Amino acid sequence: MAIVFYDSLRKKRTKFESMNPGIVKMYTCGPTVYADAHIGNFRTYIFEDLLRRTLKFLGYKVIQVMNLTDVEDKTINASNEQRVPLQQHTAPIINRFFEDLDTLKIERAEYYPRATEHIPLMLDLVKKLIDNGYAYESEGSIYFRIEKFKSYGKLSGMKLDKLVRGARVDADEYEKDDFRDFALWKAWSEEDGEVGWDSPYGRGRPGWHIECSAMSMRYLGDEFDIHTGGVDNIFPHHENEIAQSECATGNKFVQYWLHSAHLMVDGMKMSKSLGNFFTLRELIAKGYSTRSIRYVLLTSHYRQQINLSGESVLAAKAALERLDTLRHSADEGAGAGEIRSDLAKSIKESELHFTRSIEDDLGISGAMAALFELVSAVHRFSNKSPLNQKEGEALLNFWKKVDSVLSFLFPEQKELPLEVLESVQIRLKARLDRDFSLSDKIRDDLASKGFQIKDTREGTIVIWVQGRELVK
Ligand code: AMP
Ligand code: ZN
């Protein structure tokens, strides 16, 4: 069967064929490291992780690049506000980013290039664009002349006839109303302080968009298979990347564009600038397990928005507990005997259904349904007679295989039991209703079971007193 992706450029489901047999080269726009990544950013990184793992599951070798945007408007502003040099501001954020990737079990990309380490490549690209007649200088800055690239707008749907000729935009991020010639290279200004590089046009720094064009070409070549990001990257960032790259090389920059929908809060995109965000660490401090968080982020189809809530994390926990029953039954498999043919058939069907779903535009709902069907089948089989050792092993092998895609079927850490999370939710509601006798009772109950509750300004924290088990 064929792999199919929804390509944002063709605007339709498209059969995937890699440029080189067996190898997929993909570029995933990485974090702007002016502040810690929030859980919305991780929605996109988890989608990219699912894409990477799926391609590997389907037999491809993946070469993935995720850039670290460590110089652009926001990183410079943030380091100015903190009154520290740029790199001193970004370094700890980058470290925490990698820690968060590991916590969420996001597989590492092959390359994490930093913009500040690739400035000469960006200047080469700027020069090529000037030489090819697509860029021009104005007061020490270099701009891309949009009207020269006739297919400008092909990704985002912007129409060239809306362009105000000669108008320019200097900011890295801008809205569609500011559809203008954009900066490839920005002349040094006082706000840049120590940040700046010498260039044939004077001291300055790169625009955000040219960074991704230069770094993707450096590691993946002029043309590569897949480029991803959240939908907010479509305009202007990816539109500008296409313009710069295709005008510099004359080649088709990217074969397939995949974009993830946003993680939302009360109908608004979660974003640092709106201030409506949670970091991964904040969610963990509230008692949510990283396994449940990964489950919520990964099992919503990447082109559908996610509304993250306490209920969705609890539902994830319940789903995981149901999935875990298969592992428990398999672990208990003992004694001699062959694999019952009906059970072997169920495993095969589950694998086929899982694979067919996931290769169809990362159809995670179908893929999960395939696993839940097997969980139910295993219940039926073990109700008839307990599983033998070979059956247990076959199930675990299959579970491990699909977990190379999901990476949440085998928990690593001890987690707060579902009952505790539910009690905490009931207690939160009781507090809102000012029913303090109920909320105190729940707190005492939990304390007697070894779970200490602390109400802080950030929310309620559950401390699991080690060595005590939940008494059922
Ligand atoms: P940034 O650090 O803002 O450059 O964003 C890094 C990545 O996170 C980009 O691919 C964005 O499209 C993505 N992103 C930002 N906010 C959200 C959100 N609320 N939901 C999903 N993805 C997001
Ligand atoms: Zn980018």
Side-chain angles (χ1 to χ4, degrees):
M1 276 288 285
I3 304 177
V4 170
F5 292 130
Y6 181 88
D7 175 26
S8 318
L9 183 61
R10 295 177 181 92
K11 298 181 184 25
K12 60 177 187 196
R13 290 160 47 82
T14 310
K15 184 171 173 220
F16 175 74
E17 277 166 29
S18 63
M19 297 179 71
N20 299 296
I23 299 177
V24 177
K25 295 186 180 182
M26 68 179 209
Y27 188 86
T28 48
C29 284
T32 307
V33 288
Y34 75 105
D36 284 337
H38 57 64
I39 203 72
N41 299 128
F42 284 109
R43 192 280 139 100
T44 292
Y45 305 139
I46 285 212
F47 139 63
E48 289 153 351
D49 187 47
L50 176 64
L51 173 61
R52 170 192 172 86
R53 288 169 176 273
T54 298
L55 289 165
K56 286 171 71 173
F57 178 78
L58 297 172
Y60 288 95
K61 175 179 157 63
V62 174
I63 303 175
Q64 181 192 356
V65 178
M66 178 177 278
N67 66 296
L68 301 171
T69 308
D70 60 351
V71 56
E72 48 66 82
D73 298 348
K74 289 184 290 190
T75 48
I76 293 177
N77 288 342
S79 69
N80 282 345
E81 272 168 27
Q82 304 288 319
R83 296 175 193 280
V84 293
L86 182 66
Q87 303 225 341
Q88 198 173 318
H89 178 71
T90 57
I93 296 172
I94 292 174
N95 288 343
R96 283 195 293 273
F97 173 67
F98 282 114
E99 282 169 16
D100 287 353
L101 288 185
D102 291 347
T103 304
L104 278 174
K105 297 184 132 196
I106 294 176
E107 220 170 62
R108 292 286 172 103
E110 279 60 33
Y111 301 98
Y112 288 98
R114 292 168 195 221
T116 47
E117 291 171 3
H118 295 78
I119 305 291
L121 286 179
M122 297 166 198
L123 282 169
D124 287 350
L125 211 52
V126 171
K127 180 172 183 311
K128 255 191 207 154
L129 289 168
I130 295 175
D131 292 348
N132 293 356
Y134 290 103
Y136 61 93
E137 189 189 342
S138 172
E139 296 175 16
S141 292
I142 310 292
Y143 296 89
F144 185 89
R145 196 185 296 282
I146 288 182
E147 63 170 339
K148 283 280 287 181
F149 182 45
K150 295 297 170 225
S151 48
Y152 188 88
K154 62 183 170 182
L155 182 70
S156 60
M158 300 299 286
K159 295 270 180 286
L160 270 183
D161 56 12
K162 295 245 162 59
L163 180 68
V164 186
R165 289 186 65 186
R168 290 186 280 274
V169 53
D170 286 290
D172 283 324
E173 277 187 82
Y174 51 91
E175 299 299 319
K176 291 194 174 177
D177 309 342
D178 266 333
F179 164 45
R180 295 151 192 236
D181 288 356
F182 59 91
L184 301 169
W185 182 260
K186 304 187 191 194
W188 184 87
S189 72
E190 255 174 44
E191 296 93 74
D192 294 342
E194 298 288 302
V195 181
W197 288 265
D198 291 332
S199 83
Y201 329 105
R203 194 164 170 77
R205 62 178 172 100
W208 171 35
H209 317 296
I210 198 85
E211 297 180 358
C212 282
S213 286
M215 290 187 280
S216 57
M217 286 184 198
R218 157 70 180 80
Y219 294 93
L220 302 176
D222 291 357
E223 299 178 281
F224 55 91
D225 297 294
I226 301 179
H227 195 315
T228 67
V231 285
D232 55 310
N233 280 162
I234 292 178
F235 184 86
H237 187 46
H238 291 166
E239 192 70 67
N240 292 352
E241 276 189 50
I242 295 177
Q244 300 157 158
S245 308
E246 300 198 347
C247 292
T249 68
N251 294 329
K252 183 174 177 190
F253 177 43
V254 166
Q255 309 305 312
Y256 303 88
W257 287 91
L258 273 64
H259 291 100
S260 54
H262 283 145
L263 186 132
M264 310 292 284
V265 184
D266 299 330
M268 305 282 280
K269 171 194 167 195
M270 178 179 279
S271 76
K272 291 175 211 165
S273 47
L274 289 176
N276 61 349
F277 64 89
F278 291 115
T279 62
L280 177 61
R281 283 148 208 262
E282 285 166 339
L283 289 180
I284 293 171
K286 278 177 188 275
Y288 295 151
S289 79
T290 54
R291 190 178 178 219
S292 298
I293 297 171
R294 182 173 168 91
Y295 186 94
V296 174
L297 297 181
L298 195 139
T299 58
S300 308
H301 190 263
Y302 76 95
R303 288 193 291 110
Q304 268 169 9
Q305 291 181 343
I306 299 183
N307 275 302
L308 186 76
S309 63
E311 289 83 58
S312 58
V313 183
L314 285 183
K317 178 125 185 114
L320 284 164
E321 286 190 0
R322 170 118 183 106
L323 289 167
D324 284 347
T325 60
L326 181 140
R327 212 162 27 79
H328 297 149
S329 306
D331 280 340
E332 282 164 13
E338 291 307 311
I339 304 174
R340 278 169 268 185
S341 64
D342 285 358
L343 178 60
K345 194 166 157 243
S346 292
I347 297 176
K348 235 191 177 128
E349 278 171 5
S350 180
E351 179 163 1
L352 192 70
H353 183 181
F354 180 89
T355 309
R356 291 285 172 269
S357 303
I358 205 80
E359 68 187 6
D360 183 2
D361 198 28
L362 305 180
I364 191 70
S365 312
M368 291 313 298
L371 302 192
F372 282 109
E373 277 159 24
L374 185 62
V375 169
S376 303
V378 168
H379 274 280
R380 287 196 301 276
F381 284 109
S382 48
N383 278 343
K384 269 189 220 152
S385 62
L387 300 181
N388 63 44
Q389 193 181 340
K390 276 194 181 160
E391 289 176 331
E393 281 168 7
L395 284 166
L396 283 180
N397 284 339
F398 172 61
W399 228 226
K400 280 184 194 142
K401 192 168 176 185
V402 286
D403 202 44
S404 69
V405 176
L406 305 172
S407 201
F408 54 56
L409 294 177
F410 293 85
E412 271 168 10
Q413 55 203 139
K414 218 171 172 194
E415 291 175 11
L416 288 175
L418 184 59
E419 296 89 319
V420 173
L421 286 177
E422 279 169 351
S423 300
V424 172
Q425 291 291 331
I426 296 170
R427 181 173 170 275
L428 281 176
K429 182 160 183 317
R431 274 161 57 89
L432 281 178
D433 297 344
R434 309 193 68 75
D435 184 350
F436 296 111
S437 73
L438 176 61
S439 93
D440 287 351
K441 183 180 173 306
I442 294 175
R443 190 185 47 207
D444 294 346
D445 269 3
L446 287 172
S448 73
K449 293 168 182 164
F451 300 93
Q452 232 179 61
I453 303 294
K454 271 200 174 166
D455 298 307
T456 72
R457 254 189 300 161
E458 280 84 40
T460 296
I461 294 177
V462 185
I463 302 167
W464 194 345
V465 182
Q466 291 295 319
R468 298 184 65 171
E469 281 294 320
L470 178 66
V471 187
K472 285 202 185 176

